[in-house]
Amino acid sequence: MTNSLRCPTRAEVVARVQAAGRRVAAVLPYHYPRALLRAHGFHPVEVWGPPGVPRDEGGRHFQAYTCDIVVRATSFLLRGGLDGVDAILVPHTCDALQGMGSVLGDFVRPTPPVLTLYLPRSRRPVDHEFLVAELRRLGEALAAISGRVPAPADWEAAFAAEDAADRALADLYARREGLAVTDREFYTVVRSREFLPAEDFVALAGSLAAGDPPGGVPVMLSGIVAEPLDLFDHLSAMGARVVADDLASGRRRVYPLQDGGDPHTRLATRLLGGPPDPTRGDPIAARARHLREQMGAAGARGLVIYDPKFCEPELFDVPLLRRHLSAAGLPVLHVEVELTGSLTQQTLTRLEAFVETLR
Amino acid sequence: MTGAAAIGVDAGSTTCKVVAVDETGALLASRLEATHPRLEEQAAGLITALVGDLGPVEPPPVVATGYGRQLVRGAARRVTEITCHARGVFGALGHGGTLVDIGGQDAKAIRIGEEGRPIDFAMNDKCAAGTGRFLEHTAGRLGVAVADLGPRALGATAEEPISSTCTVFAESEIISLIGRGADLDAIIRGLHRSLVGRIVAMARTVGLGPPLILSGGVALNPGVRAMMEEATGMAVILPPHPQLTGAYGAALIALEG
């Protein structure tokens, strides 16, 4: 490692936060209002599977073609992995996650209360209005658990902390070419935003040393989540370097920030202001344009769309995205993986062959 | 036999192939064996045997490909089978096109550019459907030799539709068809149609266009060739040694240094 990164685990963070007297909310992917949770006294810790947890127990509640994030997260919960959290938040990111919210609430009925957040599928004024109402409803549900209705000072403190962390994330991407870090290190820090307290994230992101990043064939990564992190070691060994991303667990959550006003309205504006995204029903042309611009700015020679199997929002877009980008002379590779904690030989061969074509 | 300038090894999932080429890229010698569980020793043994076939020469540079490429000792480089197949086809035929390679446990469609480089490609997933294993498995179930499958498919006067391309589900369908007295050759013809349908669909994802080239062990099956021509409306071209294409491409890459 070019930096001596020390990033705690999710379990360590949960223990530390709870020892400090704060509540923990387990949050499923991937758009949700961090400042709202914080203002109500909750620290969000995201659950992306986790990879490697067997599908068996969760699989009893879903069709065989339900994605790994939903099934493995349900297995994780049934195995006691979420014991001790104070709430489970399931945003309506896709039909599978909406189904998970219903299954947990109606059938599994875990001890922590299950909260939902219905995210609109577009960005019209009426969607904004709907989301404001949803955020108020979520806030009321959180207040019912914590007994804490945020005062203006609580909102102010929450926005100050979370805005600083969002700025640090945006800054991390902006400084990317001037950081002496491997892809693995970069994404270790990016993904620590999923569970570190905002202040710790700002400190970690700021600790990365300036310098030249390692070389390699520049590629852009799109999709949901780059699991396992070994992916970056493999890409590096293949002679590639990730210079930009459009990952749900990454760049798609660099939101524009707003100052002042009603907190729910402010949060709704923020959540609906991110880059084009398949879970928001954005037109393919908008997504293709965004990807072309990102690739052009970063000098990426090809795009790897890296998805968990059966990820419907992603799969709907892939054929047309591929067509748009190929027409613009940008090679695209789509790989689907199971979140088992390791990569299959077929996946590695696809990636390596793609890198070979880009040389 | 002398003049070997490079060796290519294709450590595939079903067969392990080694070839030697001279400095012009002409194929001098080759060996092919069913893949052993101890692939590392097998590849080393095959290289030694091939070098022995070539006479008293300095062992030439080796490039390895195939799923077991990391296990080939002494390889100067390891290159994916996608790139090696593209290079092998281009070296053998002198042009690009759409290559469909149907191996023992994987199938791939590769669009090859004018310089012999892969432009786009698609591969099957972990599932064995659409691969040689699909035919091999069902041939075993039907009690028919693999080499007889193609001729019997072409000679069938009827065709039983096999709706599933999953090897396991197809076997269930075959059992049902046998149970109701369906003609064996009609079943075999249906199996070929099922495999070809899947392969052609995969090839279309990379922009299926002429010339259409077929390689891999399944390229030796005349039933698959004929049905691919029927499904695509294109003539199927075979390289001189369809099963050795990957290893030949690896040898050419070794030759280039």
Side-chain angles (χ1 to χ4, degrees), chain A residues 176 187 217-224 231 235 240-248 251-252 276 278 284-307 314 317-336 347 350-359, chain B residues 119-121:
Chain A
R176 185 175 191 145
Y187 283 99
V217 176
V219 297
M220 179 168 176
L221 207 52
S222 182
I224 297 295
L231 167 70
L235 285 171
R241 190 168 83 82
V242 178
V243 293
D245 83 64
D246 167 55
L247 291 165
R251 184 70 178 72
R252 280 185 205 164
I284 291 289
R287 286 203 68 206
R289 186 171 55 248
H290 172 70
L291 292 171
R292 273 199 319 269
E293 287 168 0
Q294 294 288 313
M295 290 176 76
R301 289 188 207 160
L303 177 72
V304 177
I305 304 177
Y306 186 88
D307 289 324
E314 287 281 319
D317 279 11
V318 167
L320 287 172
L321 269 186
R322 198 182 158 101
R323 191 184 300 169
H324 275 265
L325 294 172
S326 297
L330 296 169
V332 177
L333 173 72
H334 181 223
V335 288
E336 291 180 274
T347 300
R350 281 187 178 93
L351 290 166
E352 191 171 356
F354 187 63
V355 174
E356 286 170 357
T357 66
L358 300 177
R359 284 210 175 94
Chain B
I119 296 171
D120 200 357
F121 64 91

Side-chain angles (χ1 to χ4, degrees), chain A residues 309 322 326 331-333 336 338 344-346 348-350 352-354 356-359, chain B residues 66-67 69-70 78-83 117-121 123-126 205-206:
Chain A
K309 270 189 195 251
R322 198 182 158 101
S326 297
V332 177
L333 173 72
E336 291 180 274
E338 293 171 37
T344 64
Q345 184 65 29
Q346 286 99 329
L348 293 174
T349 293
R350 281 187 178 93
E352 191 171 356
F354 187 63
E356 286 170 357
T357 66
L358 300 177
R359 284 210 175 94
Chain B
Y67 95 103
R69 60 188 176 276
Q70 303 297 342
R78 292 170 177 83
V79 181
T80 65
E81 46 270 43
I82 308 289
T83 297
R117 289 170 62 89
I119 296 171
D120 200 357
F121 64 91
M123 286 174 74
N124 70 316
D125 204 342
K126 280 193 264 184
T205 65
V206 301

Side-chain angles (χ1 to χ4, degrees), chain B residues 42-71:
Chain B
Q42 182 184 22
L46 279 170
I47 293 170
T48 303
L50 190 76
V51 170
D53 293 343
L54 297 168
V57 291
E58 280 289 306
V62 175
V63 164
T65 188
Y67 95 103
R69 60 188 176 276
Q70 303 297 342
L71 299 174

